[in-house]
Amino acid sequence: MYHQPVLKNRRTLLERAEKFISDIYFTDCNLRGRLFGDTHPLESVSVFLSEKRILYSEAIQQNFQLCKVGDAFGPTWWTCWFKVVLKIPEAWRGKEVHLRWESDGEGMVWRDQQPLQGLTKEGEKTSYVLTECLKDSEPHGITLYVELACNGLFGAGKGSMIAAPDPNRKFTLQKAELVVFNQDVRELLTDFEMLVDIVKILGEGEQRGFQALFTANEMVNLCDPANPSSFAAARSLAQKFFAQKNGESQHVVHAMGHCHIDSAWLWPYEETIRKCARSWVTVIRLIENNPEFVFTCSQAQQFQWVKSWYPNLFSEIKQFVQKGQFIPVGGTWVEMDGNLPSGESMVRQFLHGQNFFKDEFAHYCKEFWLPDTFGYSAQLPQIMKGCGISRFLTQKISWNLVNTFPHNTFFWEGIDGTQVLTHFPPGNSYEMKGKVEDLINTVKNNKDKGRANHSGFLFGFGDGGGGPTQLMLDRLQRVRDTDCLPKVQMSSPDVLFSQLESDSSLLCTWVGELFLELHNGTYTTQAKIKLGNRHCEALLHDVEVASCLALCKTDSFKYPACKLQELWRLLLLNQFHDVIPGSCIEMVVEDALKYYDGKPVLLSAYFLPTIDFRRITQVTETAEPKDSWVPFVIQVGGTIMMENGLLKATIDQTGRLMSLLLLQTNRETIFEGCLGNQFTLFDDVPLYWDAWDVMDYHLQTRKPVIEVIEPAKVVRSGTHQGSVSFSLRISGKSTIRQEIVLDACCPYIKFNTQVDWEESHKFLKVEFPVQVRSPNATYEIQFGHLQRPTHRNTSWDWARFEVWGHKWADLSEHGFGVALLNDSKYGYSIHENIMTLSLLRAPKAPDANADMGHHNFTYALMPHTGPFQDALVIQYAYNLNFPLHVFHGVISEPWSAFSVNSPAVILETVKQAESRENALLIRLYESHGSSVTTTLSTSLPLHKAWHCDLLERPDSIIPVSKTTSGISLTFKPFQIRSLLLIIK
């Protein structure tokens, strides 16, 4: 009697199982080769090419030309519309029939005027189900349309993913046919795949891995690929293995479908609209076929795009939102950068996002969802809480280059003390595929074992869209409760965070910013985008203030709410986390600059001159200089001396500061033997992420810029301003021209700078070595400031060799300090006593022309006595960034609309309330880091006042304390307060 031998060689058995499901080896006789059955050609395929993205209704009216498999189309960013005429053979009755379509472009199937499914090879979506079981009653002859974008899932980079797009690339129709799809083979392949992966991931040290190995081997023995009747016995073995359950203490994975779509990155904004449609319509089909499937989706802007361009799809989405399967998350207009937008811009991200979700889906988002941003401001917890959100999910900090972040589930505390429950999915990805490795990593990487036994698990193709597939769902279904793997449940963000909240007593707290130790170059790349952002933030602020004053003073004035909403949303869109950081292709940069240079200009050209505009910001008096307030400039030999009664500067022929005296105390600012305003050039070649990264080793390549084109000379002296100009050569292609300015009674020296920049992989900075010793420097962030070390004691300190800040940074010791102000820059480095402002970079990917051309910007140096708070550094930084608007003949007499009697409190925003035409929204914040009580006074006819949250919802719990002099307000350090003022 024959006895089957028992084999124990792990390698041969494992490779046997792998080859049995391989799509490369032995496909003539293995299981993979049986996935598709008979094929049948299409009746015809014809094509129409369009340079523009056009609507379906327009496309089908065009003249289509016959084409065939193997034909190439393009160039990049064009659109191909294919008309597909097919007839399913009668002999395929009872079979599952697919349209198999493969191309290196991104496709979407249309039928009966509706989008049905995405077709993207890179997203593992290469077939469209025509019928799951062909019946005689079904139509066998069908006409479909396939809209094909001439770009891939990740754009069209020439040579690498992040390279600048190849404008002449062609995209090939690689396969187009009818095919019989064998679902029973797919099910068995999934069983094998999961078992093989368990063997490989668990390794030789786990008994369970060997059980999976021998189960897979027995399945191969039982399964005859040519005989489908043998499949059931093989599947029974797999099901028996998967059904062996975990214990009650096993970690629980909360699986949620996800499709991160960058609103622009390696493709333009317009293409993102179609990416949303391709991805989301595919999700809808999955939801229809999988009742337990839950999908999470962020970014109100993308919902708005789909609503406008694909209204029927949006209606379907709304139905599944109501059923709890298509879940809007995040609460913001876009997934914005977490560092660079102003505090008010961050508030508006939530205000516009949350209001959209409330209006369209009848509820606000409970979770802030920002998985792919390059760091997170320490003011975000308070802003979140003020917008009704107490939960936060991201994973980007797992990209840290130097230090491993110590938590996955924790409380994050902001600079004001606000805490939010925060979760980093331990799988360290927002686009997992439902594989065994993803599940094992989720447990292995969890840094809060014993404290948090639940983790998020986001699955689906992302960045360029795509989203989940049926295969991913099938993988997870197999192992919902399988010994050796975590328990898997299809879940929602609310269920996950509710579970984490219920078990939160042992969680740790992280205080301060979540600093990403990577992508530090994004604080500087694409300087014109950053300039446009800063200037438009200021312009929108001024127009809102002026409009409110006109509304209160002029009965005929109509507040431009609709126009302001449109312009704010353009600004918010440009704050997406690959646009304002500068990590996008040139087409996106061009679009962004158009938004800055076009629409907001209408504000200054139209709205401001029509408003009776009066300056309402608080003016702080400066002490009169001892001798004369008239600035004077004297040139003596090779040096120039400038003085305005507060400061005295000595400048050499290259424009560098030899000395800067604070005359009040005769204190020297510039460190002995050094020169301030020293331009320096660095080699800037990162490891891979060109526009994103500046590496620590660039600091070893410092070269001073000292070649003079025009030596320093006096431009003006006396009256209200003194100035000196000079120009330097950076290289044979690039130059700097600068005017150094001292204004009368101004406590800072200003540097108006022009750079013609034509470099490659260089980094331009300016340095100020100062006579200050302090272990910490202070940087302005949204609605406040924070400190960072000036030393490199630990790896956490060293990793902050390049940091971000907003309008100012300050280095102070007791009694004296120096502030560095700017009007458009965000990158800083303050090491020991050298204050450095980052000016320009020159990466070549993904935009080969990034930052090339002419640049204008201003920075300033402000020495001061005492703490920077008492020296009014914060107010002077505002003055630099918010210049006065001058209109002749519009003011009959001066008046003040608002005033605050504490210098610690900044009146940041005055706007019309969102839902009340007769109400103003006033936003203030405490800027010094102190507890303070102040009075807000107004000359406007005030009827009522309420405290409100950042979504402008009145808070009746906190009473408004009104006195004869105004509204009394109490602030904790860095607290934001908002008021609704009802005007009579």
Side-chain angles (χ1 to χ4, degrees), residues 720-738:
H720 298 287
Q721 189 180 81
S723 67
V724 171
S725 71
F726 65 95
S727 59
L728 302 175
R729 190 178 310 283
I730 300 171
S731 70
K733 298 179 179 179
S734 303
T735 60
I736 300 170
R737 182 172 183 82
Q738 190 172 76

Side-chain angles (χ1 to χ4, degrees), residues 823-834:
D823 74 342
S824 61
K825 301 301 176 184
Y826 296 89
Y828 293 88
S829 173
I830 302 180
H831 180 229
E832 295 180 347
N833 69 320
I834 300 176

